[in-house]
Amino acid sequence: MYDIFCDVAVIGAGPAGLSAAVAAKKEGAERVLLIERDESIGGILQQCIHPGFGLTYFKEELTGPEYAGRFEDEAKELGAEVLLNSMVLEVDPREPAVYCVNAQYGMTRVKAGSIVLAMGCREKTRAGIQIPGTRPAGIYTAGAAQRLLNRQNTMVGKEIVILGSGDIGMIMARRMSLEGAHVKAVVEIMDFLAGLTRNKVQCLDDFGIPLMLSHTVTRIVGNERVEGVYVARVDENKKPVPGTEEFLSCDTLLLSVGLIPENELTRQAEIELSPLTNGPMVNQYMQTSEPAVFACGNVVHVNDLVDNVTAESMRAGTFAARYAMKQKEEGAPEESRTGAQEKREHSVKTVPGSNVRYLCPQYIRTDSALTAQGQEESEKIQLFFRVLHPDRKVKITARCGGQEIAVKRVLRVSPGEMESIVIPAAAVTGAVTVEAEKEVE
């Protein structure tokens, strides 16, 4: 077995992994290694040729490849290393080590001071939503169609129906229209938009593409190739309403019905997972239940903006480097107790309140173990969350011990858009609850 030694090992070289690697190098980690299964770095951004990236982080509008390119250049300038075409087979958080295989070295063990999980997410497929009908050609996830069109120059169809109003689905509605296809409709089972409002305006409204809320595809028709789909209105229980079914002829059905964090490695490493996000539960340092393992980006929870992924991942990279250097200085791993035991002793929970689906981080560590000296009192903690239903004129409140510790007012909230609130670390003395309620006028 070939051995590689580094301070920080980052699994995944997409936007999360690149940001984490850059931050780790800036924090002072001597050797940072990105492990990527693809033949090039950049992750999903390589196929996102549309603009709209970087508005928050770079204060300018970039395409996906441009955004990834900036971090790729910075990572290389800082001296981060990349191991391409490498499939990770196992993460051992107790060594800590990453086991992977590649053509260059064969079976490889990467021993590291800390590990950052940045594997991203994957799309739900037809099997995951169980649409009745035949099994013809012409059914793709929106992301697969995007890759075929943008990276392999392959047109997937001419008459398109899109199921799901997620951001990738709406962006592909515009992309297919620009290539001359006719997008019949975007069909959404919920009574609200699943993606960003700006994508509805720019990708659907500007192109005259109908959005059918509270509808779903009930059956797929076709033998060798999709010939059409049946669409019906759904009731409050998301069940098709009899008598509302209509047939839409098409040769292609694109599915934009949700994303799943890639956490097979996380689960195998017995790291604590959230039942709501299906990602690892983390504290404000992006540290998992295993002290040497950090996680960031869509592997933790699905983000809507890559700028949010970058901010979160840079935090993970910073503290992963700090952890690795601390262990190197002390010459011994953090306590032999399990991460779960340590978390119970030194952490408090964040609790979703009214109209809040989940909070990230799920824990706040109270012993400031990874906070730089002199920063403890001034540290701010940003809590990200999604609401359960849309609302307007909303007051977001964070409470600890019955006391308000932070308040934020927003004009509107939607489940398709990430929200956040910043709280002072010094005010955290117990569990923190966040709620998003309509403000009483």
Side-chain angles (χ1 to χ4, degrees), residues 219-240:
R219 185 155 54 98
I220 297 170
V221 178
N223 292 318
E224 294 185 2
R225 177 81 191 193
V226 172
E227 297 172 5
V229 296
Y230 281 94
V231 175
R233 178 176 291 278
V234 298
D235 59 22
E236 62 275 9
N237 297 315
K238 306 297 179 284
K239 300 295 183 183

Side-chain angles (χ1 to χ4, degrees), residues 50-53 55 61 170-171 173-175 177-178 193 196-209:
H50 53 277
F53 299 89
L55 293 169
E61 191 171 48
M170 291 191 287
I171 288 166
R174 176 179 62 184
R175 184 75 179 93
S177 297
L178 289 171
L193 193 70
L196 295 170
T197 302
R198 78 180 193 197
N199 283 332
K200 176 184 179 295
V201 174
Q202 296 173 358
C203 302
L204 303 186
D205 297 350
D206 288 355
F207 288 82
I209 298 170

Side-chain angles (χ1 to χ4, degrees), residues 113-362:
S114 63
I115 298 167
V116 179
L117 306 177
M119 295 89 72
C121 59
R122 65 177 184 271
E123 296 175 281
K124 289 182 181 176
T125 63
R126 179 185 177 181
I129 55 176
Q130 298 180 335
I131 304 174
T134 50
R135 302 174 68 86
I139 305 172
Y140 302 87
T141 63
Q146 185 184 57
R147 183 182 178 95
L148 286 167
L149 184 55
N150 293 347
R151 297 195 67 189
Q152 297 172 230
N153 199 30
T154 300
M155 190 69 173
V156 296
K158 286 293 185 180
E159 297 285 324
I160 317 293
V161 171
I162 299 176
L163 176 60
S165 62
D167 291 309
I168 304 176
M170 291 191 287
I171 288 166
M172 281 306 293
R174 176 179 62 184
R175 184 75 179 93
M176 297 299 290
S177 297
L178 289 171
E179 286 295 326
H182 179 204
V183 180
K184 296 289 190 73
V186 173
V187 182
E188 172 57 56
I189 194 170
M190 306 301 290
D191 58 0
F192 52 80
L193 193 70
L196 295 170
T197 302
R198 78 180 193 197
N199 283 332
K200 176 184 179 295
V201 174
Q202 296 173 358
C203 302
L204 303 186
D205 297 350
D206 288 355
F207 288 82
I209 298 170
L211 172 62
M212 302 175 68
L213 296 175
S214 298
H215 282 74
T216 192
V217 171
T218 57
R219 185 155 54 98
I220 297 170
V221 178
N223 292 318
E224 294 185 2
R225 177 81 191 193
V226 172
E227 297 172 5
V229 296
Y230 281 94
V231 175
R233 178 176 291 278
V234 298
D235 59 22
E236 62 275 9
N237 297 315
K238 306 297 179 284
K239 300 295 183 183
V241 177
T244 65
E245 202 170 49
E246 62 176 302
F247 180 76
L248 297 179
S249 63
C250 62
D251 61 21
T252 304
L253 174 66
L254 300 187
L255 305 177
S256 180
V257 291
L259 300 167
I260 305 169
E262 290 270 18
N263 273 303
E264 285 73 20
L265 290 172
T266 316
R267 190 174 292 106
Q268 166 267 322
E270 298 182 351
I271 290 169
E272 185 179 10
L273 294 176
S274 164
L276 295 175
T277 65
N278 294 315
M281 300 182 79
V282 295
N283 59 28
Q284 74 269 36
Y285 306 122
M286 305 309 294
Q287 187 179 35
T288 70
S289 57
E290 290 292 343
V293 181
F294 297 73
C296 56
N298 287 350
V299 82
V300 177
H301 61 138
V302 177
N303 287 263
D304 43 20
L305 297 176
V306 72
D307 302 72
N308 290 345
V309 169
T310 292
E312 188 176 84
S313 302
M314 295 194 86
R315 190 166 181 81
T318 296
F319 290 110
R322 199 171 289 178
Y323 177 93
M325 291 186 292
K326 178 184 174 185
Q327 302 314 308
K328 185 183 289 186
E329 289 171 5
E330 295 177 355
E334 201 167 289
E335 304 152 6
S336 58
R337 294 171 297 169
T338 66
Q341 286 176 315
E342 183 179 324
K343 180 166 287 187
R344 285 195 293 269
E345 292 176 17
H346 299 295
S347 298
V348 298
K349 287 185 176 181
T350 59
V351 182
S354 176
N355 197 26
V356 174
R357 180 170 173 262
Y358 72 86
L359 286 164
C360 184
Q362 293 88 356

Side-chain angles (χ1 to χ4, degrees), residues 37-50:
R37 66 185 177 187
D38 205 348
E39 62 185 12
S40 58
I41 64 179
I44 193 69
L45 292 180
Q46 296 177 87
Q47 67 192 53
C48 298
I49 64 173
H50 53 277

